[in-house]
């Protein structure tokens, strides 16, 4: 009987890249997105189910769990998320709240809903997708930094609580070349208007240019990241932590080595 994996956030980026890789490796895939029409071009087959899923909607999560009850569900990849960016001084409470609803509360709600199904299968695992920004912070991305720090903490606590029954893998990618990054300008909303005449106006324009440059020159292809995640799905003994990308490895090393004052000076020089 085929093993199945449910992946959230399959419309773009890592989630989208992971779907065909898992199918090629023999997994059945439950591919999910808020708008399932975005997945219509995936090749049909008895190894693929497409579900509408909004991780901020409890009813949607319950319906997805019910739809998977007949499957040999051996893995859950909590990948859905987005990056709310902007100076903390200008971030509205509802923007911060929405960031946590998707990246943190939605992730944990999915975990809780699917743990009973995963416990049925020996060797089951959960991949919690955080970020290198779950271990360090950069300016102008405070809400996203905070949400990914929370994902790291939740994953480590969950591993202590359920790790003997279901393996918990913390995935910490660096910069990924995907629509996630291309949509940064949309995430600002009316923030540039709020920033006009403030000390942040020039910093916001600089930040957008910098992120676009990083996407072009330094970011990892989503497929390369997905291939490393597939190894964790297939491994007999999955890793506790999966750091993906040279930037994720070296930036953390640099932060650990530099005095805090030097690190802060470097971050301000790059971003502000």
């Amino acid at each position: 009987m085929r093993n199945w994996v449910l992946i959230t956030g399959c419309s773009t980026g890592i989630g989208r890249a992971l779907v065909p890789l898992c199918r090629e490796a023999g997994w059945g895939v439950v591919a999910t997105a808020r708008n399932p029409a975005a997945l219509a071009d995936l090749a049909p087959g008895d190894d693929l189910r497409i579900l509408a899923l909004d991780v901020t909607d409890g009813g949607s999560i319950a319906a997805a769990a019910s739809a998977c009850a007949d499957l040999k569900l051996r893995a859950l990849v909590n990948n859905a998320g987005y990056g709310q960016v902007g100076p903390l001084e200008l971030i509205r409470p509802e923007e911060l709240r929405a960031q946590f609803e998707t990246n943190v509360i939605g992730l944990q709600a999915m975990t809780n809903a699917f743990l009973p199904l995963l416990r049925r299968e020996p060797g089951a695992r959960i991949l919690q997708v955080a970020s290198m920004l779950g271990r360090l912070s950069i300016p102008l991305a405070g809400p996203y930094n905070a949400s990914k720090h929370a994902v790291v903490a939740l994953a480590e606590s969950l591993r202590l609580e359920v790790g003997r029954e279901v393996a918990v893998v913390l995935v910490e990618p660096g910069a990924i070349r995907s629509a996630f990054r291309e949509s940064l300008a949309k995430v600002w909303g009316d923030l540039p208007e709020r920033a006009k005449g403030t000390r942040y106006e020039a910093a916001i324009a600089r930040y957008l240019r910098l992120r676009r440059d990083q996407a072009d020159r330094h970011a990892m292809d989503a497929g390369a990241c997905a291939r490393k995640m597939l190894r964790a799905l297939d491994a007999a003994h999955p890793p506790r932590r999966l750091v993906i990308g040279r930037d994720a490895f070296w930036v953390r090393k640099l932060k650990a080595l530099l005095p805090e004052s030097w690190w802060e000076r470097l971050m301000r020089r790059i971003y502000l």
Side-chain angles (χ1 to χ4, degrees), residues 1-4 70-72:
M1 189 175 179
R2 178 183 286 123
N3 288 321
W4 287 77
D70 64 324
L71 300 177
K72 187 182 178 186

Side-chain angles (χ1 to χ4, degrees), residues 146-170:
S147 73
K148 292 304 184 179
H149 275 72
V151 170
V152 170
L154 287 174
E156 291 178 344
S157 293
L158 183 70
R159 187 185 301 120
L160 292 170
E161 294 165 2
V162 307
R164 290 177 176 173
E165 305 164 274
V166 178
V168 179
V169 181
L170 178 61

Side-chain angles (χ1 to χ4, degrees), residues 8 55-56 61 76-81 99-114 126-130 147-148 150-152 154-155 158 170:
T8 66
V55 301
T56 67
I61 292 173
L76 168 66
V77 180
N78 275 318
N79 167 71
Q99 178 75 113
F100 271 72
E101 285 289 345
T102 296
N103 290 12
V104 182
I105 298 171
L107 174 143
Q108 190 56 40
M110 282 292 298
T111 300
N112 289 348
F114 281 86
I126 301 171
L127 273 60
Q128 307 287 48
V129 181
S147 73
K148 292 304 184 179
V151 170
V152 170
L154 287 174
L158 183 70
L170 178 61

